[in-house]
Amino acid sequence: MDFQLSEDQEALVSALQSILQDHAELPQAERFSYSYFNADLQRLLGESGFLGAARDIGPLEAALVTIETARLPVLVETAATGLVAPMLLPADGPVDGPVALIAGGAIGKAHRNLPIARTALVDLGEDVAVLTIDPADVEPVASILAYPYGRFRAIPDLAAARRLPGAGARLRQWWRVALAAEVAGAAQAALDFTLDYVKQRQVFGRPVGSFQSVQHRLVQCHAHAQSTYYLALRAAWSGEAVDADCAASLAQQGVQKLLFDLHQFHGGMGVTTEHLLHFWLYRIRALQAEAGGVHGIGLEIAGRMWPAATQATGADAAPQIAEAG
Amino acid sequence: MEFGWAPEQEQYRERVKAALDELLPADWDETYVPESYASDLQVHFSREFCAKLAERGLLVPHWPREYGGNESPDWEHFILGEEMKGAGEPRGPQYMNVNWIGPTLMAYGSEAQKDQHVKGIASGKVIWCQGFSEPNAGTDLAALRTRAERDGDHYVVNGSKIWTSYARTADWCFLLARTGPTRKDISILLVPMDTPGISITSFPGVIKDGHLNEVFFTDVRVPVQNRVGEEGEAWKIVTYALSYERVGVPRYHTGLLALELAVEQLKAEGRWDDDPIVRSRAGSIAARFEGARLLTYRVIDQRVHRLPATTDANLSRIASLEAVSDLMNFLGEFVPDCLAGGDPLLEDYYRINIPAGITGGTNEIQLDLVAQRGLGLPRG
Ligand SMILES: Cc1cc2nc3c(=O)[nH]c(=O)nc-3n(C[C@H](O)[C@H](O)[C@H](O)COP(=O)(O)OP(=O)(O)OC[C@H]3O[C@@H](n4cnc5c(N)ncnc54)[C@H](O)[C@@H]3O)c2cc1C
């Protein structure tokens, strides 16, 4: 047991942070956007090897990369591209990214990151389909959820797609690790942003952050962000499915509180798009229902920790969907 | 960074479990645990049990060698605590002795006090109680009114203490008493519980027996040499003492064991397989305990790395408490018979945890500490 980053891990994080610092600024034109994907930074992270961490070093390091990038208000896609895809396709070499993750049962709906994706991994329950995405086939969908959303103009032919037989559980496992890492980073950043705000914003002649009711709720948000951080890293370290489930479950269980309280403490400012808060909060909200959601993942945990004679693990959370297309 | 146990840590856990298997009576779960760890039955048993633990080097392994310990690594001490709590705390009140009373006396006690009490604790046969809280001084401990007035080479103590767990069975009391006029004029006295002038009233409650006592001191004469440290030094010493108890009870461990019992019952009653709501709720609670576990382990890890103490220990308690509250609510909703003639082990779990947010520093104070010292928020 060692909760301290090793020297190499520290070096990785600080090298990454110095790149991120130089590219974290939101361009003037994007000040009022719901989300802003920084394609240049995405390319740079790829070129400087940060998206290859899972393959070159290990999944824990890839999760650290995701946590750090999730702290930025601007978006780069490291979770699926740098962690999930390499863990699912270890023999493939670098996957053409960004990568989008898609629940097969909802293929006709809008998907997170689809407009920027070059590859999509589709959860079919038992199997996974790997799709090559042509941006011309994707119709952007407006959303306050702070990722680019888009839907397929025509439902892709999954039968013709490359298929990874039996890889569904593994996809969901790493999807859960990745989403927990992303929530951990975004929650920490949203909390830091809020702490700065409540320390300087005065009401009744004193800072908002001096009221006990505000303080206590911020501490509870902090506990949630910190627990999610360690659970995500443990799940990346261990490669155990139940650890991934616990990480994602806790990440998603905290969403209600984070969204409500952090919005609350910014008053009216927090509902404007010129205030950065929404970039983090609506990423967290977007991740709330993925890879099973609290209910589905709770069932998976129960199935793994206390299996019932009649119950196949994960049967409720990941129904095998009928072949599409 | 890594999250696994080293082989020697796993072996240590096995060693502790084997000792528990060997030393606990066959009817431990049926007869003793339901009475709870503060009951007279368990406190008496702890004298026998801890003496045997001491013989096996499992009572104070983390202590310095000169006091009978083995200077064992922090993780081993922690693993020992997890397993003891998980087994229903057969050390009874003696977990306090080994965790903080002994170490505090090593640091601040006189030679005579160390000789008598530190050795006594290491033998596993002595019961202590903690005389801090009063009817009008709990969270605001500095408001305490019990007075100790100097009379030659004695103090004369008058006042009362409340919620003094184990008072009925204790040999000694680690007492806080006022020795001067200001809020900080408080001193520590080590008081034999059979001193004339001490009387105890116990009252019933929703938690298990043994905690709810009021202890009255009427002209109780305590030799001056029983004072720990100087007059008025209690705050400094108590702060030191409590730093040993910072992470508190490993509630994720006892919580997951209780959750498992609840699941077994639900399965046996056919209310598990077909009820996805119950299963997903149980799974979600397990995730919360796992989160609390890691926040707690982080504090031990900081200790191992000799990093300065932070409010991360308070944070771990806050996270544990939230999970405990979820579990108690789960029991109330899905296993309500645990409070009405059902599984006595679950009843014990539930009732022990009713004041989980109050004992050892009320949750609101933990939240204040993290907010102000951890997150740097301004005081109100
Ligand atoms: C089972 C049990 C065993 C115990 N064992 C012992 C023992 O062995 N020895 C001993 O000395 N004591 C013991 N205690 C006492 C325990 O330490 C006190 O109950 C605790 O310190 C709280 O004090 P109080 O009960 O007087 O509550 P109060 O101080 O009256 O506080 C009541 C509530 O008010 C709120 N509150 C208080 N201060 C603040 C604040 N600053 N901000 C916001 N909210 C606040 C909190 O919600 C708190 O729980 C035990 C208590 C219990 C329940």
Side-chain angles (χ1 to χ4, degrees):
Chain A
M1 206 80 66
D2 188 349
F3 280 60
Q4 314 302 314
L5 295 181
S6 69
E7 266 176 39
D8 287 349
Q9 289 160 348
E10 291 272 12
L12 174 84
V13 169
S14 69
L16 175 59
Q17 281 171 342
S18 63
I19 293 184
L20 297 182
Q21 260 163 24
D22 295 342
H23 295 81
E25 283 285 296
L26 220 54
Q28 196 60 20
E30 299 288 345
R31 265 190 56 213
F32 300 104
S33 303
Y34 289 136
S35 72
Y36 169 61
F37 172 65
N38 187 331
D40 292 338
L41 181 55
Q42 182 80 20
R43 198 172 315 113
L44 186 60
L45 291 178
E47 286 164 7
S48 38
F50 288 104
L51 297 177
R55 200 169 270 115
D56 300 339
I57 322 174
L60 174 68
E61 284 71 13
L64 286 170
V65 170
T66 293
I67 290 168
E68 287 311 314
T69 55
R71 291 182 204 271
L72 296 182
V74 305
L75 179 75
V76 279
E77 209 306 304
T78 60
T81 314
L83 179 57
V84 182
M87 295 312 289
L88 200 69
L89 301 161
D92 268 36
V95 176
D96 195 14
V99 174
L101 303 175
I102 292 180
I107 189 104
K109 299 202 171 184
H111 298 289
R112 183 167 72 84
N113 289 334
L114 194 56
I116 58 168
R118 293 294 166 271
T119 302
L121 301 173
V122 185
D123 177 5
L124 300 174
E126 192 66 26
D127 301 343
V128 172
V130 184
L131 296 178
T132 301
I133 306 296
D134 179 347
D137 294 339
V138 177
E139 173 195 1
V141 170
S143 170
I144 63 164
L145 299 174
Y147 294 95
Y149 269 75
R151 73 165 73 84
F152 291 109
R153 293 182 198 277
I155 304 284
D157 180 3
L158 293 174
R162 177 180 170 200
R163 194 169 266 256
L164 308 174
R170 197 164 163 77
L171 170 63
R172 288 187 294 279
Q173 175 183 339
W174 288 101
W175 189 341
R176 286 172 191 160
V177 181
L179 84 81
E182 216 166 334
V183 169
Q188 196 60 58
L191 182 68
D192 289 345
F193 187 73
T194 307
L195 288 169
D196 286 344
Y197 187 75
V198 300
K199 284 176 192 174
Q200 55 86 17
R201 171 77 180 168
Q202 303 267 328
V203 292
F204 302 104
R206 52 190 270 208
V208 167
S210 68
F211 290 93
Q212 201 181 43
S213 68
V214 175
Q215 293 192 348
H216 288 187
R217 286 153 64 187
L218 285 171
V219 171
Q220 286 159 344
C221 292
H222 176 55
H224 171 258
Q226 293 282 295
S227 316
T228 305
Y229 173 84
Y230 288 109
L231 284 173
L233 291 175
R234 179 176 74 169
W237 175 83
S238 76
E240 295 286 340
V242 70
D243 290 346
D245 296 343
C246 285
S249 169
L250 195 89
Q252 293 176 335
Q253 287 185 60
V255 172
Q256 177 184 359
K257 183 163 180 58
L258 278 172
L259 268 278
F260 185 83
D261 284 354
L262 298 193
H263 252 313
Q264 197 66 18
F265 302 146
H266 287 267
M269 273 312 287
V271 299
T272 68
T273 39
E274 67 175 296
H275 203 60
L276 301 176
L277 184 67
H278 69 101
F279 285 111
W280 298 290
L281 290 193
Y282 288 91
R283 289 216 291 265
I284 294 171
R285 183 61 93 190
L287 295 169
Q288 180 177 16
E290 291 198 357
V294 171
H295 178 67
I297 297 174
L299 287 173
E300 297 251 12
I301 296 172
R304 290 185 215 284
M305 292 183 76
W306 309 289
T310 56
Q311 176 203 345
T313 299
D316 308 270
Q320 176 73 37
I321 65 155
E323 200 84 350
Chain B
M1 186 178 258
E2 52 118 350
F3 297 89
W5 296 111
E8 63 272 18
Q9 291 166 340
E10 277 171 354
Q11 282 160 14
Y12 189 77
R13 193 182 289 280
E14 290 312 313
R15 192 180 144 207
V16 176
K17 283 183 175 169
L20 282 164
D21 278 348
E22 186 196 335
L23 297 178
L24 294 180
D27 62 341
W28 172 252
D29 276 353
E30 293 75 47
T31 311
Y32 288 80
V33 177
E35 292 288 304
S36 206
Y37 69 97
S39 63
D40 294 0
L41 177 71
Q42 274 211 41
V43 175
H44 290 312
F45 173 74
S46 85
R47 291 184 208 257
E48 225 177 278
F49 175 79
C50 288
K52 290 184 189 153
L53 274 187
E55 283 165 17
R56 284 164 177 71
L58 288 174
L59 186 63
V60 293
H62 57 298
W63 281 13
R65 291 206 171 79
E66 59 173 309
Y67 295 111
N70 198 25
E71 292 171 21
S72 70
D74 295 289
W75 278 115
E76 288 188 4
H77 173 50
F78 192 75
I79 289 168
L80 180 79
E82 275 191 353
E83 291 304 321
M84 291 294 158
K85 284 286 171 203
E89 193 50 281
R91 296 175 301 178
Q94 294 196 53
Y95 76 91
M96 292 196 312
N97 301 7
V98 302
N99 285 357
W100 66 265
I101 298 178
T104 302
L105 293 177
M106 287 173 212
Y108 289 99
S110 65
E111 286 312 312
Q113 287 166 355
K114 287 186 211 174
D115 199 48
Q116 180 178 9
H117 297 303
V118 177
K119 274 192 189 150
I121 288 173
S123 77
K125 292 177 185 154
V126 184
I127 304 298
W128 285 78
C129 63
Q130 172 192 334
F132 289 9
S133 306
E134 297 187 2
N136 288 305
T139 309
D140 181 13
L141 201 51
L144 65 84
R145 292 188 199 155
T146 296
R147 295 185 323 278
E149 279 164 349
R150 190 72 181 256
D151 177 21
D153 54 4
H154 279 74
Y155 286 101
V156 180
V157 180
N158 280 287
S160 71
K161 295 286 167 181
I162 199 165
W163 325 123
T164 319
S165 303
Y166 332 114
R168 279 194 318 245
T169 40
D171 306 297
W172 287 85
C173 181
F174 195 96
L175 181 79
L176 294 189
R178 178 163 299 292
T179 44
T182 76
R183 267 173 75 83
K184 298 262 155 139
D185 279 322
I186 296 172
S187 305
I188 296 172
L189 301 178
L190 307 180
V191 184
M193 287 298 283
D194 58 2
T195 315
I198 296 180
S199 64
I200 301 165
T201 305
S202 303
F203 30 95
V206 290
I207 62 166
K208 283 290 181 86
D209 189 38
H211 293 287
L212 302 183
N213 306 304
E214 187 163 6
V215 184
F216 299 92
F217 296 82
T218 311
D219 294 332
V220 173
R221 294 183 69 80
V222 182
V224 170
Q225 66 256 32
N226 286 18
R227 191 188 64 223
V228 182
E230 298 302 315
E231 259 192 19
E233 266 197 337
W235 269 172
K236 183 175 90 184
I237 299 175
V238 166
T239 306
Y240 176 87
L242 296 184
S243 74
Y244 275 86
E245 281 286 77
R246 290 182 324 123
V247 292
V249 179
R251 292 194 195 277
Y252 51 85
H253 188 67
T254 51
L256 284 166
L257 292 172
L259 183 55
E260 176 136 19
L261 286 179
V263 170
E264 277 168 19
Q265 178 176 335
L266 288 161
K267 280 183 175 177
E269 293 173 354
R271 296 191 292 134
W272 178 254
D273 290 16
D274 299 331
D275 192 340
I277 291 177
V278 175
R279 281 186 280 129
S280 88
R281 285 270 297 278
S284 298
I285 293 169
R288 301 197 68 147
F289 277 121
E290 287 300 322
R293 177 200 298 280
L294 293 189
L295 291 190
T296 309
Y297 285 2
R298 169 171 68 163
V299 179
I300 310 305
D301 180 70
Q302 290 167 348
R303 202 179 284 166
V304 169
H305 285 89
R306 301 288 171 250
L307 297 171
T310 65
T311 53
D312 290 340
N314 310 87
L315 197 69
S316 71
R317 298 173 86 127
I318 292 163
S320 292
L321 181 64
E322 288 180 0
V324 168
S325 161
D326 276 1
L327 175 54
M328 290 171 72
N329 196 48
F330 178 87
L331 294 176
E333 189 172 347
F334 299 116
V335 197
D337 73 331
C338 76
L339 296 179
D343 184 343
L345 296 181
L346 280 180
E347 183 190 4
D348 185 50
Y349 175 81
Y350 188 102
R351 289 176 62 179
I352 282 178
N353 280 290
I354 291 172
I358 299 166
T359 50
T362 196
N363 194 46
E364 284 71 21
I365 297 296
Q366 311 287 336
L367 289 160
D368 275 1
L369 288 170
V370 179
Q372 289 157 23
R373 295 193 196 156
L375 301 181
L377 289 166
R379 290 177 76 97

